[in-house]
Amino acid sequence: GALCQKPGLGGVMEKKYNIGYMGAHKAAGYPTGLQSGVKNGIQEQGHNLINLSDMLPYKFIETSPYYFRAAFEIAARLNLDAYIVPTGVINAYNVLNSRWSGAYLTKLLPKEKVLVLEDVIEGYRYVTKDSRTGMRQLMQHLIEEHKYKRICFLSGPETSYGAREREQVYFEEMEKHGLVVDDNMFFRGIYSGAM
């Protein structure tokens, strides 16, 4: 659709941008909160947020290997002004196909229009959170304050950038303090709302 115009400072018309958001797992708490924050920020600036996952058929479940391909194809056809792609969330939930980013993001969306959230993809602008500092403080507290020696760790899937950061700190701190991690102390989970 045509872009709307809004009055800016001094009566100058400013462009109202249409920004696509690649949602994932609308029922899960964290992605829903992330999407809500993105939506509020964009609306406060007077722009339009288009949730691309809302354009997929209701029964087109996110565990389908075609879900993200279809969402990216819709995004490309819409030719929006910008795209916000929470790759950390998508990769964490998309355990069936962890190579989606190379296959769909780089082929279908113009790099200059994309902002990646919670992951680092070479050549793209990105925003990540600091998973390392909090994890390091937690490990030091458990080891130094409480004197725990056998600390088990349930990580997220390998496809999650944040999970990989946290588990790296876990192993670094265990090694730094001379603590052994055996096979019964480290496990990998799957971020999913499904039980």
Side-chain angles (χ1 to χ4, degrees):
L3 293 175
C4 301
Q5 300 290 319
K6 68 172 189 167
L9 297 174
V12 177
M13 297 302 279
E14 293 180 9
K15 185 175 182 178
K16 186 170 188 171
Y17 292 99
N18 290 316
I19 302 168
Y21 181 79
M22 192 71 61
H25 281 269
K26 289 180 268 186
Y30 179 72
T32 302
L34 181 64
Q35 178 178 322
S36 177
V38 168
K39 179 181 178 183
N40 291 342
I42 288 172
Q43 289 178 340
E44 284 174 11
Q45 297 297 315
H47 303 296
N48 298 318
L49 178 69
I50 295 96
N51 188 337
L52 298 162
S53 63
D54 286 347
M55 297 181 175
L56 295 172
Y58 176 73
K59 299 210 179 223
F60 200 6
I61 60 169
E62 293 149 340
T63 54
S64 162
Y66 307 107
Y67 177 82
F68 291 110
R69 184 179 77 191
F72 275 89
E73 286 174 354
I74 288 170
R77 286 186 192 136
L78 290 174
N79 191 26
L80 300 173
D81 297 300
Y83 302 92
I84 298 174
V85 185
T87 60
V89 172
I90 294 172
N91 278 343
Y93 282 93
N94 193 19
V95 295
L96 296 176
N97 181 5
S98 63
R99 297 178 160 230
W100 70 270
S101 60
Y104 307 139
L105 179 64
T106 58
K107 286 183 183 175
L108 296 173
L109 298 181
K111 195 179 285 189
E112 66 277 2
K113 290 185 174 185
V114 174
L115 174 66
V116 172
L117 296 183
E118 298 193 292
D119 206 346
V120 177
I121 298 178
E122 189 175 328
Y124 285 82
R125 289 175 289 179
Y126 63 88
V127 175
T128 64
K129 62 183 177 222
D130 180 3
S131 292
R132 294 175 183 276
T133 302
M135 186 65 192
R136 194 166 310 282
Q137 290 171 343
L138 172 64
M139 290 299 295
Q140 290 171 354
H141 176 76
L142 293 174
I143 295 167
E144 296 169 10
E145 297 294 321
H146 293 282
K147 309 296 183 206
Y148 292 138
K149 300 199 180 309
R150 289 185 50 82
I151 302 169
C152 296
F153 187 69
L154 176 61
S155 185
E158 280 185 288
T159 54
S160 168
Y161 181 78
R164 290 192 315 267
E165 283 189 319
R166 289 185 292 276
E167 72 186 52
Q168 182 180 3
V169 170
Y170 166 77
F171 285 110
E172 287 172 2
E173 288 298 318
M174 293 293 280
E175 183 179 344
K176 173 182 163 187
H177 288 88
L179 301 175
V180 176
V181 178
D182 64 43
D183 290 343
N184 295 318
M185 294 169 63
F186 176 80
F187 301 93
R188 220 174 258 301
I190 296 173
Y191 297 147
S192 172
M195 298 291 228

